[in-house]
Amino acid sequence: MAVTAPPESPPTGVPARTLVLAAGTFAVGTDAFVVAGVLPEIGRDLHVGVAAAGQLVTVFSIAYAVLSPVMAALTGTWPRRRVLLTALAVLAAGNAATALAPGYGWVLASRVIAAGGAAMFTPIAGATAAALAGPAHRARALSYVTVGLVTSTALGVPIGTLLGTVMSWRGTMWFAAALAAVAAAGVAALLPHVPAPPAVGLRARLAPLADRRVNALLATTAILFTGIYLLQNYISVVFEPATGGGGRSLAVLLFVSGCAGTAGNLITGAWADRFGPRRVITGVAVVLAADLALLPVTGTTMAGAAAAAAVYGFTAWGVMVPMQHRLIAVAPDASALLVSLNASAVYLAVSIAGGAGALWLRAADATSLAWVAAAVTVAGLAASEAAHRLTAASRTR
């Protein structure tokens, strides 16, 4: 018989329950990011260029950004475990369809299905973790869920990339489907019943967008992550001077970047509590922009590329938690909605970066894409400061 979790779960229960949800975000993150590591293999098999193969990332990201608030509204009256299990089933089915797809058009369509599952899972996983933990342990529970997503770049993506080299890119997609299936088994077996919260319609979900401060912060997220994903989406070709196009070497760089990203997510979260999120974002963005600008030089050898990948991973993932802090501070009562909208902004940035990167690669070489990413990151830093001034001005009124 299903047992409803009490409002205040004991501290010992938070990690075990939340790690089940982290397994799901690990599957989502692996699926979302692993395609970037096998773009050359996909292009060769489907007889399209790397830029066209990169649109698989773009389509996934646009679908996620659009479907995240829509799916949250449509499933608002469902028990949380049912939503999570349905999401993981859709994610697994979408990846299986990608692995079996006979041509480029079918692969594009299947990525929309997978994105629907991802968009359904991630925001609800965060809300469920918070509900299970209770107010006293909410931050710790949310950090576990986020670490699952970040860790996927350190483990899931390199393993998937290596599989794409040893087997084929279709084996990579079967791996992503298997991760979703394992996560679903864990949710079914270990997650207690969590009743649905009061229903929130799509109009109410988008209501915070009427706040200019929220819009400014969401724009900051979109611009910063466009710069970040200009590199991430095309990391296989940007680092080709160091890897020589070898999947094993690229897997090593992805592992280094992912480990650094895990550390960055945890450390910058603590820094945001101590020094304030705006200061952390400023410092991280400056270092990130410098790392990207120097990449055409540092990324020519494996040693230099590994160092650049470590700095990139730490700073790129170090932006996420401070940005969430700033949004929640603007409207604490709408925190769940704002986190969902922030996720949509991130995936909108992924899609913009995928399209813009494809256009750049048609006109210039891949190495110079890092300079474009650095310039966009500087623009994101300017947007962050503009959002700060707008927020500060509203407090003085």
PDB file of all heavy atoms in Angstrom, residues 7 10 25 68 83 90 97 121 199 342:
ATOM      1  N   PRO A   7       5.225  15.675   5.977  1.00  0.00           N
ATOM      2  CA  PRO A   7       5.814  16.947   5.586  1.00  0.00           C
ATOM      3  C   PRO A   7       7.271  17.068   5.983  1.00  0.00           C
ATOM      4  O   PRO A   7       8.071  17.655   5.284  1.00  0.00           O
ATOM      5  CB  PRO A   7       4.937  17.981   6.322  1.00  0.00           C
ATOM      6  CG  PRO A   7       3.641  17.281   6.546  1.00  0.00           C
ATOM      7  CD  PRO A   7       3.977  15.845   6.733  1.00  0.00           C
ATOM      8  N   PRO A  10      12.493  12.393   7.976  1.00  0.00           N
ATOM      9  CA  PRO A  10      13.692  12.385   8.792  1.00  0.00           C
ATOM     10  C   PRO A  10      14.929  12.598   7.956  1.00  0.00           C
ATOM     11  O   PRO A  10      15.011  12.194   6.808  1.00  0.00           O
ATOM     12  CB  PRO A  10      13.682  10.971   9.416  1.00  0.00           C
ATOM     13  CG  PRO A  10      12.841  10.165   8.503  1.00  0.00           C
ATOM     14  CD  PRO A  10      11.829  11.073   7.928  1.00  0.00           C
ATOM     15  N   THR A  25      17.570  12.190 -13.192  1.00  0.00           N
ATOM     16  CA  THR A  25      18.187  13.358 -13.816  1.00  0.00           C
ATOM     17  C   THR A  25      19.514  12.982 -14.473  1.00  0.00           C
ATOM     18  O   THR A  25      19.924  13.602 -15.462  1.00  0.00           O
ATOM     19  CB  THR A  25      18.417  14.487 -12.799  1.00  0.00           C
ATOM     20  OG1 THR A  25      19.214  14.013 -11.707  1.00  0.00           O
ATOM     21  CG2 THR A  25      17.095  15.008 -12.257  1.00  0.00           C
ATOM     22  N   SER A  68       8.264  22.011 -21.312  1.00  0.00           N
ATOM     23  CA  SER A  68       8.427  21.970 -19.855  1.00  0.00           C
ATOM     24  C   SER A  68       7.243  22.573 -19.100  1.00  0.00           C
ATOM     25  O   SER A  68       6.623  21.900 -18.268  1.00  0.00           O
ATOM     26  CB  SER A  68       9.734  22.656 -19.451  1.00  0.00           C
ATOM     27  OG  SER A  68       9.940  22.554 -18.069  1.00  0.00           O
ATOM     28  N   VAL A  83       3.727  10.752 -12.588  1.00  0.00           N
ATOM     29  CA  VAL A  83       4.341  11.669 -13.557  1.00  0.00           C
ATOM     30  C   VAL A  83       5.775  11.239 -13.854  1.00  0.00           C
ATOM     31  O   VAL A  83       6.200  11.169 -15.018  1.00  0.00           O
ATOM     32  CB  VAL A  83       4.328  13.114 -13.022  1.00  0.00           C
ATOM     33  CG1 VAL A  83       5.026  14.051 -14.014  1.00  0.00           C
ATOM     34  CG2 VAL A  83       2.911  13.595 -12.779  1.00  0.00           C
ATOM     35  N   VAL A  90       8.532   7.599 -21.389  1.00  0.00           N
ATOM     36  CA  VAL A  90       8.575   8.351 -22.648  1.00  0.00           C
ATOM     37  C   VAL A  90      10.027   8.598 -23.066  1.00  0.00           C
ATOM     38  O   VAL A  90      10.378   8.486 -24.244  1.00  0.00           O
ATOM     39  CB  VAL A  90       7.813   9.684 -22.497  1.00  0.00           C
ATOM     40  CG1 VAL A  90       8.015  10.562 -23.733  1.00  0.00           C
ATOM     41  CG2 VAL A  90       6.333   9.425 -22.271  1.00  0.00           C
ATOM     42  N   ALA A  97      13.458   4.757 -30.090  1.00  0.00           N
ATOM     43  CA  ALA A  97      13.048   5.161 -31.434  1.00  0.00           C
ATOM     44  C   ALA A  97      14.202   5.795 -32.197  1.00  0.00           C
ATOM     45  O   ALA A  97      14.362   5.575 -33.408  1.00  0.00           O
ATOM     46  CB  ALA A  97      11.867   6.124 -31.355  1.00  0.00           C
ATOM     47  N   PHE A 121      10.076  15.185 -16.645  1.00  0.00           N
ATOM     48  CA  PHE A 121      10.720  14.618 -15.455  1.00  0.00           C
ATOM     49  C   PHE A 121      11.428  15.655 -14.595  1.00  0.00           C
ATOM     50  O   PHE A 121      11.208  15.719 -13.374  1.00  0.00           O
ATOM     51  CB  PHE A 121      11.732  13.539 -15.873  1.00  0.00           C
ATOM     52  CG  PHE A 121      12.366  12.856 -14.697  1.00  0.00           C
ATOM     53  CD1 PHE A 121      11.757  11.756 -14.115  1.00  0.00           C
ATOM     54  CD2 PHE A 121      13.550  13.320 -14.153  1.00  0.00           C
ATOM     55  CE1 PHE A 121      12.310  11.138 -13.009  1.00  0.00           C
ATOM     56  CE2 PHE A 121      14.117  12.713 -13.048  1.00  0.00           C
ATOM     57  CZ  PHE A 121      13.498  11.609 -12.478  1.00  0.00           C
ATOM     58  N   ALA A 199      -3.568  22.100  -8.382  1.00  0.00           N
ATOM     59  CA  ALA A 199      -3.357  22.276  -9.818  1.00  0.00           C
ATOM     60  C   ALA A 199      -3.019  23.721 -10.145  1.00  0.00           C
ATOM     61  O   ALA A 199      -3.608  24.656  -9.597  1.00  0.00           O
ATOM     62  CB  ALA A 199      -4.603  21.850 -10.583  1.00  0.00           C
ATOM     63  N   ASN A 342      13.381  28.752 -15.589  1.00  0.00           N
ATOM     64  CA  ASN A 342      14.830  28.860 -15.768  1.00  0.00           C
ATOM     65  C   ASN A 342      15.359  27.675 -16.575  1.00  0.00           C
ATOM     66  O   ASN A 342      16.233  27.834 -17.437  1.00  0.00           O
ATOM     67  CB  ASN A 342      15.517  28.915 -14.406  1.00  0.00           C
ATOM     68  CG  ASN A 342      16.969  29.333 -14.501  1.00  0.00           C
ATOM     69  OD1 ASN A 342      17.288  30.431 -14.948  1.00  0.00           O
ATOM     70  ND2 ASN A 342      17.863  28.452 -14.081  1.00  0.00           N
TER      71      ASN A 342
END
